Amino acid sequence: MVFRFPLSRLGESAGPKLIAHRRGSDVTNENEGAAPVNPIATVRAVLPSLTPAAQTIARLILDDPASVARSTITEVSAISGISEATIVRTARSLGFAGYSQLRFALAAAVARDTPERLVPGDLSPDDPLTDVIAKVTRAESQALADTAAQLDPDDLASVVDAVAAARRVDVYGVGASGLVAMDMVQKLLRIGLPGHHFTDAHLALTSAALLREGDVAVGVSCTGETPDVLGPMRAARRAGATVVAITNNPRSSLAGLAGHVLISAGRESAFRPGALASRISQLLIVDCLFVGVAQRTFDSSDAALRATRVALDDYLGDAHRRARTA
């Protein structure tokens, strides 16, 4: 459902007093830092952790950010049934000094956005395949764009440093996130860094308990609430390892455990559980991390890539020769 708001000019002051968005914290200093670069992506990321009233406001923003940007706080309160005070608190929880600053950011985001979607809405049972292609493609493209907007270079650099210097890297994930964990480990293997991925909770806990300071544990979970990932991450933290989270939700239990949180974007839906949009955003982070580590360890990484490429080429050459003589 798309909510339509009464049109009004941007009458409230939308000055530059934007505040920093910090994971899981309430920030009150209006002159500190900057607000989220992509407010729509931020709303989508923190939606599950908001209160029911705040979720109502967040869904209005996601449904029609342009209309919210054009509406006063009184108009939003009337259409949503949420008090003005709660709307202000919601704006602050998203990293803004108040509602007017949120409106200003939404207006800027809408102005930067692509033209009106030709095929709006989520997937439905009676969608023709032409619409399925368009909607899925749009979702994947948006997931990549949102992830890039939220991926903090300083946080990524810290994780690159930790992985490049690690004695070993454990990566935990189940289901679709388990595929991402597997991808990360095979990438590290190609440049000579020891890593292990675990989709079995018992093996993951066993490995995590044996980590130590200087090792790295990476938990991959879209929701950040997957028990089979949280358990090993807690064990890894107790063991003294550097703990890294790759998650959509910066206020999740997984994010709370981690010393470093890399935020992915990508919404799952009824027709796309374990959606490609979720996985592709996580894979983007893994690819950026991998390239950063390969750059940081260029000499050894380059030698490892050459050696593994030769080994694979020799194997494939032998296989082709056997096939021709069979």
Side-chain angles (χ1 to χ4, degrees), residues 138-206:
R138 185 190 71 228
E140 318 317 349
S141 299
Q142 190 62 54
L144 290 173
D146 288 352
T147 300
Q150 296 180 113
L151 190 54
D152 188 301
D154 293 335
D155 286 343
L156 182 63
S158 297
V159 178
V160 166
D161 290 340
V163 171
R167 178 185 69 103
R168 111 184 200 200
V169 179
D170 275 10
V171 190
Y172 315 116
V174 297
S177 295
L179 301 175
V180 177
M182 185 185 305
D183 181 75
M184 179 174 175
V185 168
Q186 69 90 12
K187 280 184 167 64
L188 295 178
L189 180 61
R190 288 295 300 272
I191 58 174
L193 295 181
H196 307 273
H197 78 275
F198 298 93
T199 57
D200 179 275
H202 291 186
L203 289 177
L205 284 166
T206 300

